[in-house]
Amino acid sequence: MTLEDLFTLASLTDAINLLPRAPSLIGSSGLFVESGVSTTSVIVESKNGQLSLVPAVSRNDDPTPTKSSKRARRSFEIPHLPTSGQVLPTELQGLAGFGEETSVESQAAVINDRLQEMRDRLETTREYHRVGAISGKILDSDGSVLFDLYDEFGVASKKVTTALATEATDVRGKLMEAKRHAEKQLPGMVITGWRAYCAEDYLDALVKHKNVEKAYANYQEASDRLGGDVRKGFVYGGVEHIECNAAVGDKRFIPLGKARLVPVVRGLFKLYNAPGNYNETVNTLGKPFYAKSEPRKMGKGWDLEAQANPLAICLAPGALVELEA
């Protein structure tokens, strides 16, 4: 393999998809079903605020019928997330073989380091979009709203105040109220569990509450015997409470004083990957990440571009509940 071979679309895309995955609490949890699509938009159909996918059919076949006037279709343009970088000759110059490592392998390591930086940035953004999907509003990097799922499908958001600063609060009862609301939005669906992704101050207030602290102490004692960390999952009221303290700059993924309650239902949360924005990838099934390069002016290194094209979405946003301390 030559140095030029390392900079092809196929080589770089394979490399960036094989690199180690940046830590992502929700992305690693299996909550989202991830798949590639060959289009740059996804059409979603809703009935009474609940969403279902419109199946693709042959252009020679009849369209799938819309049987009720209460059904509505929405087209979501899949966000395009490109980022750029460079590899300069000075970074590749003088990389001699070490042991059994060839010079080209040493240069490939430099390229992979740059791709890793770009992938980590993209994966953090994908996680930010997943958090948006479990919150009902998918936000851009500047905080502007890309998709308001509640508005798109005409359903109301739901907030339950758990009043954790009040000693007499029936916290378990508040959680039951939130769960029953979500269940009513998911008729016929099998809920296999409940998760609440919590800001750290929310989780701290929860475990210190008078009606919770005994259950927490028992849970912590059992967890300590196993060498665990209860911040990764404390079950109370049938809900697994998980600390989510991720932030980029001043952008917190879960706002202070809040938690996001989500039902665990197979296929309720989706992440679609659209094709890369390149001639070679038109009408192909999308991959999580793409990378491409082109020589810089006068042959002074390469310009790199990496991109992701994800749409994270909840197919029944009415079932999402915001918990507020």
Side-chain angles (χ1 to χ4, degrees):
M1 177 180 288
T2 66
L3 180 59
E4 287 71 21
D5 293 332
L6 299 177
F7 285 93
T8 65
L9 172 65
S11 294
L12 291 174
T13 296
D14 285 346
I16 197 170
N17 280 287
L18 290 173
L19 288 172
R21 180 175 187 165
S24 57
L25 178 65
I26 299 175
S28 301
S29 71
L31 183 66
F32 281 76
V33 177
E34 188 167 346
S35 60
V37 295
S38 59
T39 57
T40 59
S41 63
V42 172
I43 297 175
V44 178
E45 184 178 87
S46 71
K47 181 180 181 182
N48 298 329
Q50 296 171 35
L51 315 186
S52 61
L53 296 180
V54 176
V57 298
S58 166
R59 293 178 184 270
N60 298 322
D61 292 340
D62 293 333
T64 54
T66 299
K67 299 180 180 178
S68 170
S69 60
K70 294 183 179 181
R71 292 180 183 263
R73 290 184 175 187
R74 297 291 186 274
S75 177
F76 291 85
E77 189 73 20
I78 297 177
H80 176 53
L81 308 174
T83 185
S84 61
Q86 296 176 338
V87 174
L88 303 177
T90 52
E91 298 176 88
L92 301 176
Q93 177 66 34
L95 291 176
F98 180 76
E100 298 300 319
E101 190 177 67
T102 68
S103 178
V104 171
E105 289 171 340
S106 299
Q107 293 165 341
V110 173
I111 297 167
N112 281 345
D113 287 345
R114 188 60 38 79
L115 291 177
Q116 185 73 66
E117 295 169 0
M118 299 166 81
R119 172 174 170 148
D120 289 349
R121 186 181 179 200
L122 290 170
E123 184 54 53
T124 299
T125 307
R126 280 159 44 98
E127 181 76 348
Y128 189 52
H129 285 204
R130 292 186 192 101
V131 172
I134 69 170
S135 305
K137 291 185 179 181
I138 301 164
L139 306 180
D140 204 352
S141 61
D142 61 0
S144 61
V145 177
L146 289 173
F147 302 109
D148 185 324
L149 299 181
Y150 302 117
D151 287 348
E152 287 285 349
F153 294 94
V155 295
S157 60
K158 175 67 174 179
K159 179 170 73 174
V160 171
T161 300
T162 49
L164 298 177
T166 302
E167 190 174 282
T169 299
D170 179 5
V171 180
R172 190 184 300 271
K174 292 290 187 179
L175 293 175
M176 292 304 107
E177 175 189 345
K179 289 165 65 176
R180 288 184 178 120
H181 169 82
E183 288 167 346
K184 290 177 182 177
Q185 313 304 313
L186 300 169
M189 294 190 181
V190 178
I191 301 173
T192 59
W194 297 88
R195 295 177 191 165
Y197 291 98
C198 312
E200 57 265 38
D201 63 334
Y202 182 98
L203 185 62
D204 289 344
L206 173 72
V207 300
K208 291 176 183 176
H209 192 274
K210 180 182 178 181
N211 294 330
V212 180
E213 58 184 359
K214 183 177 180 180
Y216 177 70
N218 293 337
Y219 199 94
Q220 186 177 41
E221 181 180 355
S223 179
D224 286 344
R225 287 199 297 269
L226 298 174
D229 184 344
V230 292
R231 294 178 303 166
K232 297 179 180 178
F234 162 55
V235 178
Y236 182 77
V239 177
E240 183 181 17
H241 294 80
I242 304 168
E243 182 176 306
C244 180
N245 58 8
V248 177
D250 60 353
K251 294 181 178 64
R252 300 185 59 84
F253 285 22
I254 303 292
L256 290 174
K258 297 184 185 297
R260 305 294 187 187
L261 177 69
V262 297
V264 179
V265 177
R266 179 69 179 175
L268 179 59
F269 298 94
K270 299 275 194 175
L271 192 145
Y272 298 102
N273 295 306
N277 189 31
Y278 302 119
N279 292 337
E280 303 94 321
T281 58
V282 170
N283 295 326
T284 62
L285 281 180
K287 297 182 179 182
F289 304 98
Y290 289 89
K292 193 174 182 179
S293 71
E294 64 180 12
R296 302 188 72 217
K297 186 177 180 180
M298 301 298 294
K300 295 181 180 179
W302 285 265
D303 286 324
L304 294 180
E305 180 182 273
Q307 61 176 258
N309 302 275
L311 173 66
I313 195 168
C314 171
L315 299 182
L320 303 174
V321 181
E322 178 185 291
L323 303 177
E324 184 173 52

